[in-house]
Amino acid sequence: MTTAAAGSPRTYQVRTYGCQMNVHDSERISGLLEDAGYVRAAEADDQPDVVVFNTCAVRENADNRLYGNLGHLRPVKAKHPGMQIAVGGCLAQKDRGDIVRKAPWVDVVFGTHNIGALPALLDRARHNAAAEVEILESLEVFPSTLPTRRESTYAGWVSISVGCNNTCTFCIVPSLRGKEKDRRPGDVLAEVRALADAGVLEVTLLGQNVNSYGVEFGDRYAFGKLLRACGDIDGLERVRFTSPHPKDFTDDVIAAMAETPNVCHSLHMPLQSGSDDVLRAMRRSYRSERYLGIISKVRAAMPDAAITTDIIVGFPGETEADFARTLDVVREARFSSAFTFQYSKRPGTPAATMDGQLPKQVVQERYERLIACVEEITWAENKKLVGETVEVLVAVGEGRKDERTGRMSGRARDGRLVHFATGELAGQIRPGDIVHTVVTYAAPHHLNADGAPLAHRRTRAGDAAEAGQVPRTPGVLLGLPTIGAPAPSPAPTGGCAAH
């Protein structure tokens, strides 16, 4: 048992930035620390014994955000002997020892390939009273072999692959996460079954490029087969996935989505730009016609499908005509939601040194026009659902105004956010339960259902939420060269307990 003092377990806190992969990695980090004897710090505890930053290198100002937060912790650590700070994730993989040089009060730096080493690194740093920096260049242990403390009773992430074989010129992820590594289908399904057996209703299959899944073991139809196999798992009511890539999106996946009852009719399909010239400069190996063709096929198979996307504005060399083409594709695709970004340089990416970097005011003006176009469409699409009955999986933290309005919130099967009135069922509906209700109002980013629910189904996930329990899953092994937990470091001496 790792202890802060005699009989007192050391507490930890994980702070997560970035994508869904990072959110899932943080569940792994929490599971590892709890297996090593740490206890999660209370929400109000501003002096946990260990603070772990799981960082992102993709978002704008990621460096400034990290170092700002590290600066805020410096005086806290000075007043709290024994406190440790660890930095992991993509920014750690990129900056490595520079983190300790810029913030010498950091104790541990670990990368995207060696999450499993964190407890041992913390022990070593504490024993040696010196920073431990360990960055591996390739994956030794697939993250899903590690224990996990799940954050939700009703929804879970399941990694099917890590890394990416694409070479988009704006993206630093392949250099930080490495080449694509695929889990075997049996291992993925074992983890999904374990979650369903624990009462989880919804699983999201996760990867940098999920529909290239199978490339490592030579089956280009593996992802569609995996979706269909998820349809045979008892108790699993919703299956989602993110993110696919248009170049690898095949008709068999569309058929699997349409024909497997528990696969949700929601699709996140990154566009990035509607201009073929810009797509070529981005090294995105599809063109707008191919992209819109996929959207047409999806809608033909699933007329109720909600399609979301990512769009970058202001990529180097983007002309007004290029941007106009993006708006044309947005209008034709009729997205239910879009994650929109202003291009910003990422050191280490080819796009950062391209000619034609655009002035900030040009990018801002185009961005505002894109937002207006997207919201006009999403609002119109949402209005079509007024009067329709939706099935809502009740969630935690989705509605910022819920306490004030008396509503609860959750996601419809197509992924849309729904705020709903509880009526006479107030106090009886729990996160993880299923509610059927009628949409009464639509906004660009959400739906309201202000009438009494038509139906309420209590679930095992709701029971667990009410009891304050979350699923824990042990590692699910994968046939990589090295499997299992990392070898423990020698037991520390001088009064520090071994983990």
Side-chain angles (χ1 to χ4, degrees), residues 18 25 124 140 189 204 289 308 339 359 365 375 383 422 486:
D25 283 349
R124 287 212 304 264
E140 288 192 345
L189 293 170
T204 300
E289 183 178 0
T308 62
F339 298 92
E365 188 270 340
E375 291 195 345
K383 285 177 179 177
T422 55

Side-chain angles (χ1 to χ4, degrees), residues 142-188:
F142 199 93
S144 293
T145 66
L146 306 176
T148 303
R149 185 194 192 279
R150 302 282 177 174
E151 294 299 321
S152 169
T153 65
Y154 50 86
W157 307 102
V158 174
S159 289
I160 68 171
S161 64
V162 294
C164 183
N165 294 341
N166 295 313
T167 56
C168 302
T169 55
F170 56 82
C171 185
I172 199 168
V173 167
S175 66
L176 303 179
R177 292 273 181 180
K179 291 291 186 182
E180 181 174 325
K181 287 274 189 184
D182 293 334
R183 293 176 75 189
R184 304 301 291 190
D187 296 326
V188 174

Side-chain angles (χ1 to χ4, degrees), residues 469-493:
Q469 301 168 345
V470 291
R472 287 183 60 88
T473 51
V476 181
L477 295 182
L478 169 74
L480 289 176
T482 304
I483 58 175
S489 53
T493 59

Side-chain angles (χ1 to χ4, degrees), residues 146-366:
L146 306 176
T148 303
R149 185 194 192 279
R150 302 282 177 174
E151 294 299 321
S152 169
T153 65
Y154 50 86
W157 307 102
V158 174
S159 289
I160 68 171
S161 64
V162 294
C164 183
N165 294 341
N166 295 313
T167 56
C168 302
T169 55
F170 56 82
C171 185
I172 199 168
V173 167
S175 66
L176 303 179
R177 292 273 181 180
K179 291 291 186 182
E180 181 174 325
K181 287 274 189 184
D182 293 334
R183 293 176 75 189
R184 304 301 291 190
D187 296 326
V188 174
L189 293 170
E191 185 174 353
V192 174
R193 285 192 195 96
L195 287 170
D197 288 346
V200 168
L201 301 178
E202 176 179 295
V203 160
T204 300
L205 304 176
L206 196 60
Q208 247 78 45
N209 180 11
V210 290
N211 56 334
S212 67
Y213 175 71
V215 65
E216 199 177 34
F217 50 86
D219 184 355
R220 66 187 298 262
Y221 299 111
F223 186 61
K225 295 174 184 176
L226 188 66
L227 290 178
R228 291 183 185 274
C230 286
D232 295 329
I233 295 177
D234 290 341
L236 183 62
E237 298 190 18
R238 296 183 176 191
V239 178
R240 304 187 190 279
F241 56 89
T242 195
S243 286
H245 191 295
K247 80 176 178 65
D248 298 306
F249 204 78
T250 50
D251 291 350
D252 66 294
V253 172
I254 298 173
M257 291 178 67
E259 296 166 9
T260 309
N262 65 355
V263 175
C264 294
H265 292 180
S266 62
L267 174 65
H268 185 73
M269 182 65 75
L271 170 65
Q272 307 304 2
S273 175
S275 161
D276 289 352
D277 288 342
V278 173
L279 289 171
R280 195 172 292 109
M282 289 177 166
R283 215 177 287 156
R284 301 281 290 179
S285 49
Y286 57 89
R287 300 296 173 255
S288 59
E289 183 178 0
R290 154 80 172 153
Y291 183 93
L292 289 169
I294 293 171
I295 302 304
S296 295
K297 288 181 178 180
V298 169
R299 292 233 164 88
M302 295 167 282
D304 61 340
I307 300 171
T308 62
T309 196
D310 298 331
I311 302 171
I312 296 173
V313 175
F315 190 79
E318 180 188 76
T319 65
E320 180 60 28
D322 292 326
F323 177 67
R325 182 59 184 143
T326 295
L327 295 181
D328 289 342
V329 174
V330 168
R331 293 186 186 103
E332 188 168 347
R334 310 294 298 177
F335 298 115
S336 65
S337 180
F339 298 92
T340 53
F341 306 92
Q342 297 184 40
Y343 172 77
S344 61
K345 290 183 180 181
R346 294 292 180 271
T349 62
T353 56
M354 284 182 176
D355 294 336
Q357 303 286 332
L358 300 183
K360 171 67 177 175
Q361 62 269 27
V362 172
V363 178
Q364 180 67 35
E365 188 270 340
R366 289 179 185 170

